[in-house]
Amino acid sequence: MDFIAQSSSLNSADDVFTLLDGNTIPCVGFGTWKVFDDAQGSDIIQEAIVVGYRHFDAAAFYHSEKSIGTAIKASGLPRTDFFITSKVWKDDLSPRAARASLEHSLSDLQTDYVDLLLIHWPKASSADANWQDKLAETWNAFQDFKREGKVKSIGVANFLPHHFAALSGEKPVIDQIEFHVGYLQAEACAYCRREGILVEGWAALGRAALLNHPKVCELASKNGVTTAQLCLRFCLQEGVLPLVKSAHGARMRANRELFNFSLSNEDMATLRALPQIAWSGEHPDTAIPLDPAKQ
């Protein structure tokens, strides 16, 4: 799968990448980290639907899935109009716990299937000595979920090349990793490109240090776009699906307006060459996030 080639034919945020298993995924996703299960969270998702988003990236860990389910029901649109991702948290890497996690997510989302299910992190902690065995067993369970029709596609998140060796059978179609200008994860992306695995970029806008970086501001001004639009367009031209998030309708709309301009080869090279900027500090082997409820 050549996702850079696929990206060259995208004309709107509703266009799709075709995955290794033949399924498709809208080329821009709306992230729901910190969109909580409350009235405000449901309002944010409803606004995103009005703006035009149909691809929602969720996770059991985010506690956003009730808001997504409520907003989709309230929209009156059919379930088949939407692409929903969920994830199994790193502390649930066993067949039994993964199944319980999926069933809980399906209940909260008010649906009988998700379009994509991901293993959220490959290890529970840096001291997790049995992570390969747990990944292997959980991945086998994911393939069962797909055969049962509870999941259409299966993939992983925060995997580096060496983590994939623990998996057997069906190949993951997606690796969702931190990816943005200033943090390109070259080895992970090269591996995924060789294997036909689509990279999804979480934190595609980095943080303030990225959006306020002088060179990013300069290139955004040159192209007549916002710094956010510049960074998202960079992802797409790299063949990476960006996940975006905003609670404000105007920014939600702007984050979909990525197809009336393109970045030159020179601009792309300049952005690739920037030093590390706005990295989260998280690493799947050494700096794995903790569940706040268990701290």
Side-chain angles (χ1 to χ4, degrees):
M1 309 297 290
D2 186 343
F3 295 110
I4 293 178
Q6 287 191 39
S7 72
S8 68
S9 64
L10 300 174
N11 295 305
S12 81
D14 300 316
D15 286 348
V16 298
F17 286 106
T18 299
L19 301 170
L20 197 59
D21 62 4
N23 292 328
T24 59
I25 182 170
C27 67
V28 177
F30 191 88
T32 63
W33 167 236
K34 294 190 176 180
V35 177
F36 298 116
D37 285 331
D38 54 25
Q40 182 181 26
S42 184
D43 287 346
I44 290 171
I45 302 300
Q46 288 184 47
E47 177 70 11
I49 292 171
V50 169
V51 166
Y53 289 94
R54 299 293 181 266
H55 172 186
F56 290 96
D57 180 78
F61 179 66
Y62 296 169
H63 304 293
S64 62
E65 293 179 330
K66 287 182 180 178
S67 288
I68 295 169
T70 298
I72 288 176
K73 288 290 185 183
S75 75
L77 296 170
R79 168 67 180 86
T80 51
D81 281 7
F82 294 90
F83 188 103
I84 303 175
T85 298
S86 188
K87 307 180 189 76
V88 171
W89 185 238
K90 64 187 180 66
D91 296 327
D92 294 326
L93 294 183
S94 74
R96 189 172 189 175
R99 183 176 290 277
S101 174
L102 173 59
E103 294 294 349
H104 190 270
S105 290
L106 293 175
S107 176
D108 283 352
L109 291 163
Q110 302 180 56
T111 185
D112 57 3
Y113 73 95
V114 292
D115 299 274
L116 176 65
L117 186 68
L118 306 179
I119 293 176
H120 206 152
W121 289 85
K123 296 181 179 181
S125 71
S126 58
D128 188 356
N130 298 317
W131 64 270
Q132 292 102 324
D133 291 341
K134 289 192 282 187
L135 278 184
E137 293 174 355
T138 304
W139 187 247
N140 288 339
F142 270 44
Q143 293 172 79
D144 289 340
F145 304 156
K146 184 175 178 182
R147 284 187 286 267
E148 294 165 12
K150 296 179 183 292
V151 174
K152 290 188 175 293
S153 294
I154 52 177
V156 298
N158 301 299
F159 270 45
L160 300 178
H162 62 281
H163 298 127
F164 286 91
L167 311 182
S168 62
E170 186 169 341
K171 188 182 293 186
V173 298
I174 276 176
D175 187 10
Q176 186 182 120
I177 60 176
E178 182 175 0
F179 179 95
H180 52 77
V181 173
Y183 194 69
L184 302 183
Q185 299 225 55
E187 289 299 320
C189 288
Y191 175 88
C192 288
R193 289 184 183 121
R194 288 195 303 271
E195 297 296 323
I197 299 168
L198 176 64
V199 172
E200 279 188 328
W202 63 262
L205 297 179
R207 288 154 188 80
L210 172 59
L211 297 179
N212 295 325
H213 189 279
K215 183 56 70 174
V216 172
C217 293
E218 176 189 324
L219 291 181
S221 178
K222 170 189 167 184
N223 285 277
V225 297
T226 67
T227 54
Q229 288 170 322
L230 180 89
C231 292
L232 296 173
R233 182 68 199 180
F234 174 86
C235 290
L236 288 170
Q237 289 186 214
E238 288 285 274
V240 172
L241 190 160
L243 299 174
V244 302
K245 177 182 170 293
S246 176
H248 304 284
R251 287 203 287 269
M252 289 181 190
R253 288 179 174 84
N255 288 340
R256 288 172 51 85
E257 295 168 358
L258 310 174
F259 302 91
N260 58 354
F261 73 101
S262 61
L263 301 178
S264 68
N265 290 338
E266 180 183 2
D267 289 347
M268 292 292 289
T270 298
L271 291 169
R272 289 189 197 105
L274 290 178
Q276 182 171 294
I277 307 165
W279 174 42
S280 69
E282 295 177 354
H283 189 283
D285 286 323
T286 59
I288 306 166
L290 299 173
D291 185 340
K294 297 183 178 181
Q295 293 185 50

